[in-house]
Amino acid sequence: MAGQTDMELIKNGIRMDGRKPDELREVKIVAGVLDNADGSCYLEWGNNKVYAGVFGPMECHPRHKQKADRAIVQARYTMAPFSVNDRKRPGLDRRSTEISYIVSQAFEKVVMVEDFPKASIRVDMQVVEAHAGTRCAALTAASVALADAGIPMRDMIPSCAAGKVNDVVVLDLNKEEDNYGQADLPLAIIPSTGEVVLLQLDGHLTPDEFEQAMDLATSGCMELYKKMRHALENSYGGKA
Amino acid sequence: MSNDSVSNLMKGHMESLAKEGKRADGRGINEYRKVKIEIGMISTAEGSAMVHLGKTKVLCGIKMLIGTPYGDSPGSGTMTTSTELAPLADQSFDPGPPREQSIELSRVVDRGIRESRMIDFDGLCIEHGVKVWMVYIDLHILDNNGNLFDCCTLAAAAALSNATIPNIQHGIADKDVKLPINCWPISCTFGKLGDSVILDATSDEESVMSARFTVAHDENGNLRAAQKGMNGSFTDAEIREAVKTARASDNVLREALKGIQE
């Protein structure tokens, strides 16, 4: 967060990309786009583009990571070298490693891991174009891919961020707002119970603003949740 | 779902089919699967393309940065090809640093593009000996159903043909121009299945075949690069025949590549 900036990111309650403060960017979700993966999803969120693929449950490698009483979720978040303006060096860096780790833990809460002792469920997320908010996009796509793979889950987890720009709390930061804004709060919840499975914050928020941001991010998650269910309905028909 | 091993029964079946000039998926032995090319879907890349070859899917993005030239070629730009065998493409792809398999793939694709002089390296020089354009070709395999070699070369060629030199972003000139393309390399990959040679193998066929042969031609029918891979062998006659077949069969891919130029 760059903190204070002279840039005017909100004018008369309208953001630079024409959105209102509580409006999401456009989201498009398609389930079942890859053939080899047991479950997959392609998601466009604003200009973000993400593929997610799921394999498993299968025998866990390496062996020492096996748990005798449950499965583990091995999530892996990566960004393509061409997904950003300056070429990103391929492979896992510290940021991707952290995101992979917290996403794995978020999923271990909803996936019925106790049904598959010693197994692993592999969740791979490939960001092919990045414009702020890719961890939320990747997590959301991975949820749909897990459902597409038919992995038993208590619920899907939508994820969405709220933040602060020009002292206004807004939903779903875009690239400029992420670069020049004052705070960013990515959140993932279990819609049926309201439990929080992922939360990060960087920047500066007053206690009141934090409350507002939580409300806004939660409503964003619920809106996404509908779109996720629609995507699955579209692939499989019937009532989701 | 991908299989680690195909049964001996299936192996025998595929070999006997190939002997009669047939394939498990109904194709002839020298026939490509359906090919589809899309371009320009990644706005952060200088050029991009997605190629579907049957059920194999490869996404290629081109990035261009400014760097210093190599000492032995001070007036030429550089090119780097890397492939990412994304774990979501195949259950057998492990996360982690590139393995031999992925390095061989990148190098064969790289050679096809480089040796054909598809891009004019001298034209990528900004200041002799000081500043040149470095072209990065990054190939992301999203779905592996065999013949990554041809699919990747095609994706790289399509993405390059769609690429723009980012002059404005780097303050080189006040206009972005298209990356000039000199020629069109196309690679054809054959597999040895029992005693037969087949074109464009699927992953099932790849898992039972003993040897692989890739040859890249330019649009004038001249050879530009070749590679024999895997631990089996081809006879001299098979290699000569395959090179001829490649020239006759690469039209399908060439047409698809031409189709995106409009």
Side-chain angles (χ1 to χ4, degrees):
Chain A
M1 293 291 110
Q4 291 306 315
T5 169
D6 297 336
M7 247 175 118
E8 205 173 5
L9 295 163
I10 298 196
K11 211 174 187 175
N12 304 327
I14 297 293
R15 294 151 77 177
M16 283 173 82
D17 51 13
R19 284 185 293 155
K20 295 199 271 301
D22 61 351
E23 206 175 323
L24 279 176
R25 286 173 282 184
E26 203 165 308
V27 177
K28 187 182 122 189
I29 308 176
V30 192
V33 290
L34 304 177
D35 289 298
N36 274 326
D38 296 332
S40 59
C41 174
Y42 172 66
L43 180 142
E44 280 183 21
W45 183 329
N47 290 323
N48 288 318
K49 296 185 178 72
V50 182
Y51 284 89
V54 168
F55 286 99
M58 57 194 180
E59 196 185 346
C60 175
H61 291 291
R63 268 252 168 83
H64 68 85
K65 285 196 173 164
Q66 282 186 359
K67 299 266 189 254
D69 57 341
R70 64 173 179 94
I72 61 164
V73 176
Q74 293 177 301
R76 182 171 175 267
Y77 164 101
T78 41
M79 285 172 82
F82 47 79
S83 64
V84 283
N85 275 335
D86 298 315
R87 180 176 183 269
K88 186 200 167 288
R89 285 189 52 184
L92 283 178
D93 53 16
R94 294 175 67 87
R95 177 180 171 275
S96 314
T97 307
E98 185 205 357
I99 295 176
S100 305
Y101 187 53
I102 58 170
V103 168
S104 305
Q105 290 170 327
F107 279 126
E108 285 184 0
K109 175 71 191 170
V110 285
V111 171
M112 299 199 171
V113 285
E114 61 282 1
D115 289 357
F116 308 100
K118 295 186 177 178
S120 115
I121 295 159
R122 222 171 70 187
V123 180
D124 297 301
M125 296 158 279
Q126 285 277 328
V127 177
V128 295
E129 190 172 336
H131 297 267
T134 52
R135 79 192 63 189
C136 297
L139 181 52
T140 305
S143 278
V144 176
L146 275 164
D148 182 47
I151 308 251
M153 286 194 287
R154 292 179 180 83
D155 206 346
M156 292 193 287
I157 39 183
S159 172
C160 181
K164 182 167 82 163
V165 290
N166 294 155
D167 294 325
V168 182
V169 177
V170 296
L171 183 65
D172 183 22
L173 301 183
N174 65 25
K175 185 93 187 169
E176 287 74 25
E177 293 167 343
D178 189 32
N179 288 349
Y180 303 109
Q182 296 152 294
D184 183 17
L185 182 141
L187 178 77
I189 59 166
I190 306 177
S192 51
T193 62
E195 287 167 279
V196 172
V197 286
L198 180 146
L199 187 153
Q200 297 184 291
L201 169 68
D202 59 333
H204 175 267
L205 287 177
T206 65
D208 274 355
E209 284 168 345
F210 176 72
E211 300 278 334
Q212 273 184 52
M214 283 294 286
D215 291 346
L216 210 50
T218 307
S219 68
C221 286
M222 295 310 284
E223 200 179 327
L224 266 168
Y225 188 52
K226 278 186 210 146
K227 295 178 196 277
M228 293 158 76
R229 297 177 71 119
H230 271 300
L232 289 168
E233 273 176 60
N234 285 342
S235 327
Y236 296 105
K239 273 189 234 150
Chain B
M1 178 112 187
S2 50
N3 289 318
D4 284 345
S5 55
V6 175
S7 68
N8 276 332
L9 199 64
M10 194 62 188
K11 182 170 193 260
H13 174 60
M14 289 202 272
E15 286 178 1
S16 61
L17 273 179
K19 218 173 259 175
E20 301 165 31
K22 292 189 206 152
R23 307 277 280 269
D25 55 7
R27 286 182 289 155
I29 50 168
N30 289 328
E31 199 179 323
Y32 268 105
R33 287 167 289 175
K34 218 177 131 212
V35 57
K36 191 175 118 197
I37 308 180
E38 298 160 277
I39 49 167
M41 65 285 290
I42 306 291
S43 65
T44 42
E46 268 69 80
S48 55
M50 168 97 101
V51 174
H52 306 246
L53 184 58
K55 286 183 170 177
T56 296
K57 279 191 203 71
V58 174
L59 178 64
C60 178
I62 309 291
K63 289 300 285 179
M64 293 182 70
L65 303 175
I66 291 173
T68 44
Y70 294 118
D72 58 354
S73 52
S76 304
T78 66
M79 177 182 117
T80 311
T81 310
S82 15
T83 52
E84 166 94 9
L85 300 178
L88 56 74
D90 198 318
Q91 198 171 337
S92 68
F93 290 175
D94 291 323
R99 303 280 163 84
E100 292 142 330
Q101 195 195 357
S102 133
I103 290 172
E104 186 194 16
L105 176 59
S106 328
R107 289 189 53 87
V108 172
V109 174
D110 186 278
R111 233 175 298 145
I113 306 276
R114 189 185 299 274
E115 298 310 324
S116 67
R117 303 298 259 173
M118 176 177 184
I119 29 187
D120 172 18
F121 289 104
D122 298 338
L124 293 175
C125 178
I126 302 165
E127 200 182 328
H128 191 87
V130 184
K131 249 196 218 174
V132 295
W133 285 110
M134 301 189 297
V135 181
Y136 287 92
I137 303 174
D138 287 293
L139 293 146
H140 268 236
I141 288 96
L142 295 175
D143 233 332
N144 173 26
N145 194 22
N147 200 4
L148 292 176
F149 286 81
D150 295 354
C151 199
C152 285
T153 305
L154 195 58
L160 283 169
S161 76
N162 170 244
T164 311
I165 302 177
N167 281 328
I168 301 174
Q169 191 196 336
H170 295 273
I172 299 299
D174 49 13
K175 225 176 99 199
D176 288 349
V177 291
K178 276 207 71 156
L179 179 69
I181 303 293
N182 288 334
C183 81
W184 299 96
I186 293 282
S187 95
C188 287
T189 299
F190 298 86
K192 176 101 175 247
L193 193 61
D195 295 322
S196 319
V197 178
I198 57 165
L199 179 66
D200 184 28
T202 62
S203 13
D204 280 353
E205 289 166 337
E206 279 180 352
S207 64
V208 296
M209 71 194 204
S210 58
R212 188 189 64 235
F213 175 66
T214 303
V215 58
H217 282 93
D218 61 20
E219 71 268 40
N220 301 319
N222 295 318
L223 281 84
R224 295 295 190 157
Q227 172 109 338
K228 184 257 151 189
M230 300 172 66
N231 52 16
S233 65
F234 288 94
T235 64
D236 177 77
E238 281 168 347
I239 294 282
R240 288 169 200 271
E241 188 57 36
V243 171
K244 275 185 210 147
T245 312
R247 274 199 293 279
S249 307
D250 70 4
N251 281 329
V252 196
L253 305 187
R254 243 172 242 294
E255 290 299 318
L257 199 51
K258 231 183 251 166
I260 60 166
Q261 299 314 310
E262 271 90 60

